[in-house]
Amino acid sequence: MDLIKASTLQTQPETAAMRQSPGRPGRSLGSNTNNAAVETLASMGFTRIEVCLGRHRPYHDMLSGIFSDLDKAEALGMAYTIHLPLCLYEWFPFDYLDGYYLDPDSEKRALAFRFLEENLRQLTQRYKPDYYVMHFPGIYRNAYHGLDFQGILHESLEKLQTLAERFGILLALEYFGSNQDFSRPAQWVEAIAGYSRLAPLLDTGHLYFSCLMNGIDFDQSIQQLGPHCVGFHIWTVQGTEFYGNSPFYRQYHHVVPHPGQLRSEGWAFEPGEVYRKLRTFDAPLVVEASSLFGGPDYYLEGLRYAADCYLGGDCE
């Protein structure tokens, strides 16, 4: 459904500037706005937001709130990023937060790219985020028998690069390990390196789950991916099961990192250590958490801790 003003929907001609590689933003701290008001974040020293549909309210209510948050951020001089998609259509029947760009079915891949293109066509005429975040690899285990996976991968990356050039944007491909044929950080670095308008985005929660699923090392993966990332998401979880197999994740989803969380007590990582590592890469970090675990006070304490650690370097 088209909910952005019609005056913003006119396609602009491609320019030479759109074809150039965009600059990368430096270190800054942001949060999603599903659980914290833009004004609250600004008062805590956050200088950016990221908007995302999520699944917590009816679609039209979420979208209206997102546009309001973007307007507030612009008024306050805050930077922002947009987690795709925002625009939903009846002709796209699949889960809007899953990625189908590497689906074994070529028709499903084509529909996914149409979905992406229509979102970008609407959003880029009104909003100028530092980058757009997207889920890319999909959920596939042993899915490519008899198919040329590398051919599918690079055909899809070429299409993403072409769309990014056309709309003059940078696409941040959020790291997941849920595609067995494209799960290792070194694969991501090698595959994406040749595309000037594509970059990885490391998400600490999804990285932790990938470590459980694929037997990779969490700290080593941060060092492999971090230097190549345009940005980071941070959230945490407790336990050694992943996604729907995890009772903790099903109940609390994304938990805000908090100074009391220890690996020895089953947490995915110790937040101070991760904040210190991510600081060295000088890229935007977005706290992508909910307040389900610990309640609003715990959540706000976690946001303050993020500001102390990532902006001030004080993680004691």
Side-chain angles (χ1 to χ4, degrees):
M1 178 175 292
D2 298 348
L3 294 182
I4 302 175
K5 291 181 180 178
S7 61
T8 69
L9 302 184
Q10 303 302 314
T11 301
Q12 299 298 317
E14 182 181 8
T15 65
M18 286 183 172
R19 292 189 293 271
Q20 296 173 359
S21 178
R24 304 294 179 92
R27 185 172 77 234
S28 59
L29 181 63
S31 173
N32 65 22
T33 57
N34 294 337
N35 296 279
V38 175
E39 297 88 347
T40 299
L41 294 170
S43 72
M44 298 172 71
F46 286 61
T47 58
R48 67 170 51 247
I49 65 168
E50 184 166 294
V51 294
C52 178
L53 275 182
R55 307 183 193 277
H56 57 294
R57 287 188 294 159
Y59 170 56
H60 289 79
D61 293 344
M62 288 190 293
L63 195 60
S64 176
I66 283 170
F67 292 153
S68 175
D69 288 341
L70 290 171
D71 289 342
K72 290 175 184 176
E74 288 182 336
L76 291 169
M78 299 175 76
Y80 59 90
T81 48
I82 293 176
H83 194 311
L84 296 168
L86 294 188
C87 307
L88 305 183
Y89 309 96
E90 292 181 358
W91 49 261
F92 189 80
F94 308 111
D95 189 303
Y96 57 86
L97 286 178
D98 282 349
Y100 302 97
Y101 307 99
L102 299 180
D103 197 274
D105 183 338
S106 61
E107 292 185 2
K108 199 169 183 179
R109 293 198 303 272
L111 195 63
F113 277 102
R114 179 187 170 197
F115 185 50
L116 173 63
E117 182 175 357
E118 288 303 317
N119 265 266
L120 294 177
R121 190 191 313 279
Q122 293 198 56
L123 295 170
T124 55
Q125 299 307 308
R126 169 62 182 86
Y127 298 108
K128 305 297 179 185
D130 285 337
Y131 49 83
Y132 286 88
V133 181
M134 57 180 289
H135 292 175
F136 173 66
I139 304 171
Y140 303 105
R141 317 298 285 181
N142 302 312
Y144 298 97
H145 296 298
L147 298 175
D148 178 11
F149 174 75
Q150 288 298 317
I152 292 172
L153 172 63
H154 284 284
E155 178 185 38
S156 293
L157 291 172
E158 289 282 357
K159 288 181 177 179
L160 293 180
Q161 172 75 11
T162 298
L163 283 173
E165 290 177 354
R166 175 181 169 189
F167 290 107
I169 61 170
L170 181 63
L171 287 173
L173 310 188
E174 186 170 352
Y175 173 79
F176 285 79
S178 52
N179 187 321
Q180 186 170 290
D181 288 73
F182 194 54
S183 63
R184 298 190 174 273
Q187 289 177 286
W188 280 63
V189 171
E190 181 180 1
I192 299 173
Y195 299 95
S196 61
R197 287 184 173 270
L198 311 180
L201 182 142
L202 187 153
D203 179 298
T204 59
H206 295 306
L207 174 60
Y208 176 67
F209 283 156
S210 180
C211 293
L212 297 177
M213 297 167 70
N214 301 300
I216 62 178
D217 183 79
F218 184 85
D219 297 316
Q220 184 181 41
S221 296
I222 288 179
Q223 296 304 320
Q224 287 179 316
L225 265 177
H228 307 277
C229 288
V230 67
F232 304 100
H233 286 169
I234 192 165
W235 56 273
T236 192
V237 68
Q238 194 174 40
T240 57
E241 299 292 336
F242 50 83
Y243 296 117
N245 295 327
S246 167
F248 185 93
Y249 183 73
R250 290 199 307 268
Q251 182 173 0
Y252 298 115
H253 205 50
H254 294 194
V255 176
V256 67
H258 197 276
Q261 297 165 352
L262 302 174
R263 273 181 166 170
S264 62
E265 296 178 358
W267 289 97
F269 53 83
E270 297 191 4
E273 293 181 3
V274 171
Y275 279 124
R276 280 190 288 268
K277 289 175 182 176
L278 297 182
R279 272 176 56 87
T280 66
F281 303 123
D282 285 325
L285 180 143
V286 169
V287 181
E288 195 186 45
S290 76
S291 59
L292 294 175
F293 182 89
D297 290 343
Y298 186 90
Y299 174 75
L300 290 174
E301 288 170 2
L303 294 185
R304 294 188 188 97
Y305 184 59
D308 290 341
C309 285
Y310 201 67
L311 297 179
D314 181 11
C315 291
E316 299 301 327

